[in-house]
Amino acid sequence: MNRSALIAILALLLIGQACNMKTEVQTKKTKTMEKTEEHYTFKLNENVTRQKVTFKNRFGITLSGDLYLPTNSSKLNLPAIAISGPYGAVKEQSSGLYANQMAARGFATLAFDPSYTGESGGEPRNISSPDINTEDFSAAVDFLGLHKAIDRNKIGILGICGFGGYALNAAAPDKRIKAVATSTMYDISRGTANGYYDSKTEEERTKEYVQIGEQRWKDAEKEKTSYGPTGLKNLPENAPQFVKEYAAYYTTSRGFHSRSLNSNGSWSLTNAVTNMNAPILHYIKEISPRPILIIAGEKAHSKYFSETAFEAAVEPKELLIVPNAVHTDLYDQIDKIPFDKLESFFNENLN
């Protein structure tokens, strides 16, 4: 598969750009492997309770989350972690799994659906924004800091995949965040603007802007948002291995969820433009002196995002490479996700 085709597939799956493809409007049809509304891709730990909660961000969008609390703790000043991601996933998938595991280790944890996705509010659906999704983390901090069981001076955040980048962006200006960790991180803005391994040319980027502008005319005329085909269905045999790994998570019983646009939907056709125009890690140095932990798989196609973010950050910082792990291993493979390290990192820094 040539470089242009590889970039196009990556853009379709993770950035939501598909202007050169026939469009289709999302509908609420019955999907293959449809699950119940309360379906979770993992089992709740016996020492953890889970409660559905809602809270608003500063844009007035109501966010939906699951609050996980350790059942065997009598503390009223718990340390807390807000968790979101991967990009295009929902809280019943990877972020909930992380929240469940960390709550079993003594933390109050909040896994939440970002604006415009999952059970959270915002219209039209399946939209991302570097500004709004960064704000979603700060809104989660608001919620945690007002909870009677939580010490507002002991709050950290954890971002998975694309929300790793948004988490770093949120931590820079929000000094209430005492520590930030990322797992299998993507810098969505960089990937959208520059392509895979920064291979997109200025000419290619300009062409995308033109395509998005043309799509905006179409959407404005119809007064309706348009969406691309479901990206992970009907993959060709010669699809890149990392794309097959995404499909192995999102389209099978391992990770499928009816509300996850990565499982059975797509981003809007004009979604890419704000990410392309807004580099989110420009102020990463301003997270210091608060600590950063960046976790990536040794064999992950996305590892370079973690490596360059680590290089750009200043101390205290740590880069942990998980041996033999691919990108999606860190979504749900309990034996590979370094939960012991996450526990020690947040215990040491949320005090």
Side-chain angles (χ1 to χ4, degrees):
M1 179 170 290
N2 62 35
R3 182 178 67 87
S4 296
L6 178 60
I7 294 170
I9 289 177
L10 183 73
L12 170 63
L13 295 177
L14 300 176
I15 312 304
Q17 180 69 317
C19 291
N20 61 337
M21 304 180 69
K22 182 178 179 181
T23 65
E24 59 183 33
V25 177
Q26 296 287 86
T27 59
K28 293 184 178 179
K29 296 179 181 178
T30 301
K31 306 294 195 304
T32 302
M33 293 188 62
E34 190 78 34
K35 301 290 185 179
T36 65
E37 289 297 298
E38 297 305 316
H39 169 65
Y40 288 82
T41 61
F42 57 93
K43 184 178 179 181
L44 183 67
N45 187 284
E46 62 182 7
N47 296 315
V48 172
T49 63
R50 178 172 58 210
Q51 175 188 3
K52 281 193 173 292
V53 298
T54 60
F55 53 98
K56 286 189 176 183
N57 66 19
R58 69 180 181 87
F59 294 98
I61 298 170
T62 299
L63 301 181
S64 176
D66 285 325
L67 180 65
Y68 294 77
L69 295 173
T71 57
N72 60 353
S73 175
S74 59
K75 296 180 180 178
L76 293 179
N77 296 299
L78 290 171
I81 310 167
I83 307 172
S84 196
Y87 189 69
V90 290
K91 63 186 180 301
E92 293 83 4
Q93 295 173 313
S94 184
S95 61
L97 181 149
Y98 274 70
N100 182 49
Q101 289 287 325
M102 297 306 290
R105 294 164 183 261
F107 299 88
T109 57
L110 174 66
F112 65 90
D113 288 334
S115 296
Y116 305 105
T117 61
E119 291 185 306
S120 288
E123 293 288 343
R125 304 304 293 166
N126 298 3
I127 299 291
S128 70
S129 161
D131 186 11
I132 296 175
N133 293 143
T134 295
E135 157 62 20
D136 289 342
F137 270 109
S138 288
V141 172
D142 294 342
F143 172 84
L144 290 171
L146 294 177
H147 195 283
K148 63 182 181 180
I150 293 168
D151 185 338
R152 67 172 56 179
N153 295 309
K154 298 179 180 180
I155 299 175
I157 62 176
L158 193 164
I160 306 164
C161 186
F163 279 80
Y166 293 145
L168 293 172
N169 195 39
D174 194 337
K175 307 304 181 184
R176 302 173 303 169
I177 297 168
K178 303 304 181 185
V180 55
T182 70
S183 182
T184 201
M185 182 201 128
Y186 249 85
D187 179 344
I188 293 296
S189 291
R190 177 184 174 186
T192 315
N194 300 333
Y196 190 45
Y197 273 100
D198 302 320
S199 57
K200 187 184 295 183
T201 66
E202 183 177 350
E203 181 181 5
E204 289 170 329
R205 185 162 52 251
T206 298
K207 183 179 179 180
E208 287 185 38
Y209 282 135
V210 171
Q211 290 174 328
I212 291 170
E214 290 301 315
Q215 186 62 49
R216 288 187 66 114
W217 286 125
K218 295 175 184 178
D219 288 359
E221 288 171 353
K222 294 186 303 181
E223 297 185 347
K224 184 177 292 186
T225 299
S226 297
Y227 301 85
T230 301
L232 290 171
K233 289 186 177 180
N234 303 315
L235 292 180
E237 287 295 324
N238 63 343
Q241 179 59 32
F242 74 88
V243 177
K244 294 178 180 178
E245 289 161 2
Y246 281 122
Y249 177 77
Y250 285 111
T251 68
T252 71
S253 59
R254 173 183 164 196
F256 179 90
H257 197 282
S258 60
R259 286 191 293 267
S260 169
L261 66 92
N262 289 341
S263 288
N264 59 359
S266 67
W267 297 102
S268 77
L269 289 178
T270 58
N271 185 64
V273 66
T274 53
N275 276 298
M276 290 174 73
N277 202 38
I280 57 175
L281 298 187
H282 184 74
Y283 294 105
I284 190 172
K285 291 182 179 180
E286 296 186 11
I287 297 175
S288 180
R290 293 162 296 148
I292 300 172
L293 172 63
I294 297 176
I295 301 167
E298 178 188 19
K299 297 183 178 180
H301 69 281
S302 57
K303 184 174 68 169
Y304 75 100
F305 286 122
S306 292
E307 291 172 332
T308 53
F310 177 76
E311 291 171 4
V314 297
E315 297 289 351
K317 61 180 181 177
E318 183 175 356
L319 175 63
L320 175 61
I321 302 298
V322 180
N324 298 315
V326 300
H327 182 87
T328 53
D329 282 341
L330 300 187
Y331 283 7
D332 68 336
Q333 299 302 294
I334 302 296
D335 60 332
K336 291 187 177 182
I337 300 170
F339 284 113
D340 288 346
K341 178 61 181 180
L342 284 166
E343 178 183 7
S344 63
F345 172 76
F346 283 115
N347 271 332
E348 290 167 9
N349 296 296
L350 300 184
N351 52 43

